Amino acid sequence: IRDRRKCLYTFNQHTDYIRTVHFHPDLPWIMSCSDDQTIRIFNWQNRSCISILTGHSHYVMSAFFANDDDLIVSSSLDETIRIWDYSELKKKYSSSRGSSSKPSQIGAADVTVKMIMDGHDKPVNWAASHPKKNMIVSGADDRTVRIWKYQDTKATEIECLRGHDHNVVCCMFHPKNDLIISTSEDKTIKVWDYNRKANIATYKRDTDRFWILASHPEPVSYTHLTLPTIPL
């Protein structure tokens, strides 16, 4: 077990701070985003960079593979959220599997921007997709949590949740319940029922600040949310 904890490989292609890293659920890919204003996709099996996504004009704060439709969701301090289509990159990877040749040259057209959402009026720190629906939740320095619905080439803001008193740094959909969880530099974690558009619980620690959220995959009931320790 100890041998398995060693570093197998280091990717050092970014030229500035790295904000998030995400494994693809099925393919041997790792995606990272950086203050160098790029998103990069790496094949961890052959240890190569297979795509560089450019277009954001400020630090890229988050980038995640969406659960369906071969899409990537990213957020940036340029005040936008972008949805990228990587279906061509996936086809390219599938056609080259089993080949003994070296990885092909990175192509700019392998991942393309499908939609740009600019509803926030300050830098966007986080954007994440719904596990099953065509929805995105985002949080920004404008202190709001916004919900977006997308289809084909159009995305529409369907709700703006207000209640945080400082920059929203992270937000996510709960994987089973109709809930959104957000955290802010106001030192709170808030739980929202997005069907009722209501903040149903708030948790605060005056001596701490929360940056990243994760949720347990099992469902939780609303009664659980009244307990001092929330099962996120």
Side-chain angles (χ1 to χ4, degrees):
I1 295 176
R2 182 177 299 175
D3 292 341
R4 295 177 184 176
R5 295 177 181 175
K6 66 181 180 180
C7 178
L8 299 178
Y9 190 73
T10 300
F11 296 98
N12 56 10
Q13 284 88 341
H14 281 294
T15 59
D16 211 329
Y17 298 123
I18 296 171
R19 296 290 178 166
T20 64
V21 178
H22 191 212
F23 278 93
H24 192 281
D26 302 311
L27 301 174
W29 294 357
I30 301 172
M31 180 169 59
S32 56
C33 66
S34 169
D35 288 5
D36 65 10
Q37 303 181 20
T38 70
I39 300 166
R40 294 174 187 253
I41 302 175
F42 302 91
N43 184 325
W44 54 261
Q45 285 185 333
N46 60 27
R47 301 176 179 179
S48 63
C49 180
I50 60 174
S51 188
I52 302 174
L53 287 60
T54 61
H56 280 298
S57 58
H58 210 312
Y59 302 162
V60 186
M61 301 299 286
S62 69
F64 300 104
F65 293 107
N67 291 290
D68 296 306
D69 301 326
D70 297 339
L71 300 177
I72 292 165
V73 179
S74 65
S75 66
S76 170
L77 297 192
D78 65 9
E79 304 182 7
T80 69
I81 302 151
R82 290 179 178 237
I83 298 179
W84 311 73
D85 183 339
Y86 66 88
S87 56
E88 289 301 317
L89 182 67
K90 188 176 179 180
K91 290 177 185 177
K92 186 176 179 180
Y93 167 77
S94 299
S95 64
S96 65
R97 291 185 68 179
S99 174
S100 59
S101 60
K102 294 183 179 180
S104 57
Q105 188 176 5
I106 296 172
D110 292 337
V111 183
T112 56
V113 177
K114 195 170 185 178
M115 285 163 262
I116 300 176
M117 295 97 89
D118 57 1
H120 288 286
D121 55 18
K122 286 193 176 181
V124 186
N125 298 309
W126 204 268
S129 63
H130 192 281
K132 295 181 180 179
K133 302 176 183 178
N134 288 356
M135 295 169 61
I136 291 169
V137 62
S138 59
D141 285 358
D142 59 11
R143 305 182 181 184
T144 67
V145 177
R146 297 178 189 242
I147 307 171
W148 311 78
K149 199 166 187 176
Y150 65 89
Q151 192 167 5
D152 298 327
T153 59
K154 183 179 180 180
T156 304
E157 181 184 323
I158 59 174
E159 191 57 49
C160 179
L161 305 175
R162 302 180 186 275
H164 281 296
D165 297 326
H166 212 305
N167 304 336
V168 181
V169 296
C170 185
C171 53
M172 61 173 292
F173 290 102
H174 189 274
K176 296 289 179 67
N177 295 75
D178 290 342
L179 303 175
I180 288 171
I181 308 162
S182 62
T183 189
S184 164
E185 291 184 45
D186 63 12
K187 302 181 181 179
T188 67
I189 297 172
K190 289 183 179 288
V191 183
W192 313 79
D193 181 331
Y194 62 77
N195 291 321
R196 292 193 287 144
K197 305 178 180 68
N199 174 208
I200 61 173
T202 298
Y203 301 86
K204 184 173 184 178
R205 290 175 63 102
D206 290 327
T207 57
D208 290 319
R209 183 183 297 178
F210 306 100
W211 294 105
I212 301 295
L213 295 167
S215 178
H216 194 280
E218 294 303 317
V220 296
S221 66
Y222 289 168
T223 55
H224 287 159
L225 298 176
T226 64
L227 297 174
T229 301
I230 177 172
L232 300 178

